[in-house]
Amino acid sequence: MSIKDNLSVLLKEIPENVKLVAVSKTKPIEDILEAYNAGQNIFGENKAQEMIAKQPQLPENIHWHFIGHMQTNKVKHIAPFVALIEAVDSLKLLKEISKQANKINRVIDCLLQFHIATEETKFGLDFDEAKEILDNPEFKIMKNIRITGVMGMATFTDNTELIRKEFRTLKDYFYKLKENYFSDKDYFKEISMGMSGDYKIAIEEGSTIVRIGSIIFGART
Ligand SMILES: *Cc1c(COP(=O)(O)O)cnc(C)c1O
């Protein structure tokens, strides 16, 4: 099936209030354009170099989500155009994003990434680390970032009960943060969870953003 067909089949499974990020990492410009021409306009990349290389070659109204681990020295290159940095996992990174956004008069939206999987290798915060960031006086004075929600990746497994449990943990973190830090902030509303293998469970558990690559573009080599 074509990318366009893959997208239209997939979109039938995704409720209208859930945003679809088409994860285009490793895929060429032509593939992204095919998805764009079929109506998709949010794309996700996990390497700064790759995103920086692709962005100028593609339509300006694409919303770029950075979904990977961000190195602080790369922030200045994506700050001018990135729509959402999905995987913030330190105060140091937030400070750099705020600093670079300030230089160009932007407010950059970010999600806090939580470690919800059993795998050791996945990045992300635990709940106490997130609280430390949000309680830090340095965070409170940052004017050029906005935390709009949370993000997480479930364990790569076919144990659907484990995946569901991990997504519930993330949702629980979201509601706790909402109550304690963002109760008066309407913009704090996103729960980014769900990939090709587990997006249906994620949607059942309250995802507002799914990040899907393989189903749309085919397997990565
Ligand atoms: C690659 C990636 C995805 C998409 O993975 P698929 O299984 O191809 O849908 C989603 N989120 C993150 C953070 C990724 O790195």
Side-chain angles (χ1 to χ4, degrees):
M1 280 205 308
S2 66
I3 288 169
K4 185 175 184 224
D5 292 341
N6 292 342
L7 254 177
S8 73
V9 172
L10 176 62
L11 283 169
K12 292 195 180 76
E13 304 286 336
I14 300 177
E16 250 170 54
N17 57 330
V18 175
K19 285 186 236 100
L20 170 63
V21 179
V23 176
S24 50
K25 62 189 186 195
T26 78
K27 299 296 177 182
I29 297 294
E30 306 81 77
D31 288 10
I32 301 175
L33 265 181
E34 188 180 339
Y36 176 82
N37 288 330
Q40 177 63 28
N41 86 331
I42 311 175
F43 291 88
E45 292 282 342
N46 70 339
K47 296 218 164 60
Q49 275 329 110
E50 196 175 336
M51 193 187 235
I52 297 157
K54 286 172 173 174
Q55 186 268 341
Q57 305 180 57
L58 285 156
E60 254 192 89
N61 66 352
I62 285 180
H63 295 266
W64 290 98
H65 285 202
F66 193 79
I67 62 170
H69 185 69
M70 181 95 244
Q71 289 168 290
T72 48
N73 63 345
K74 299 281 166 53
V75 173
K76 61 175 174 292
H77 303 294
I78 68 161
F81 65 86
V82 72
L84 180 64
I85 300 180
E86 290 212 17
V88 172
D89 62 1
S90 71
L91 183 66
K92 180 170 164 242
L93 178 56
L94 271 180
K95 274 159 73 172
E96 180 63 15
I97 297 168
S98 189
K99 179 177 148 193
Q100 296 301 335
N102 179 263
K103 282 190 193 166
I104 52 174
N105 244 316
R106 284 196 70 195
V107 175
I108 296 180
D109 287 348
C110 300
L111 303 180
L112 291 179
Q113 181 181 10
F114 283 91
H115 183 275
I116 53 170
T118 53
E119 289 129 340
E120 281 292 331
T121 52
K122 292 196 173 152
F123 292 103
L125 303 160
D126 63 32
F127 194 69
D128 286 338
E129 289 168 335
K131 283 204 303 197
E132 271 169 41
I133 291 175
L134 298 172
D135 287 328
N136 194 299
E138 287 190 273
F139 169 76
K140 292 183 181 168
I141 58 165
M142 286 180 199
K143 295 264 184 306
N144 296 81
I145 51 117
R146 215 166 60 147
I147 307 280
T148 61
V150 302
M151 179 268 205
M153 285 166 89
T155 304
F156 187 70
T157 174
D158 45 26
N159 179 346
T160 56
E161 279 318 300
L162 179 62
I163 294 171
R164 191 178 295 281
K165 191 173 137 243
E166 291 170 354
F167 287 153
R168 283 189 182 162
T169 300
L170 186 62
K171 183 169 59 176
D172 189 47
Y173 290 168
F174 170 84
Y175 282 111
K176 281 193 186 134
L177 293 181
K178 179 82 190 165
E179 189 183 326
N180 290 307
Y181 296 93
F182 300 99
S183 57
D184 59 342
K185 305 282 192 287
D186 290 342
Y187 59 75
F188 187 85
K189 60 181 169 51
E190 306 294 1
I191 305 177
S192 175
M193 58 186 188
M195 310 180 18
S196 290
D198 55 21
Y199 75 93
K200 287 184 185 169
I201 303 172
I203 289 170
E204 285 166 12
E205 295 304 328
S207 173
T208 68
I209 300 176
V210 289
R211 310 174 311 269
I212 297 180
S214 321
I215 289 180
I216 301 169
F217 297 108
R220 289 175 297 273
T221 44

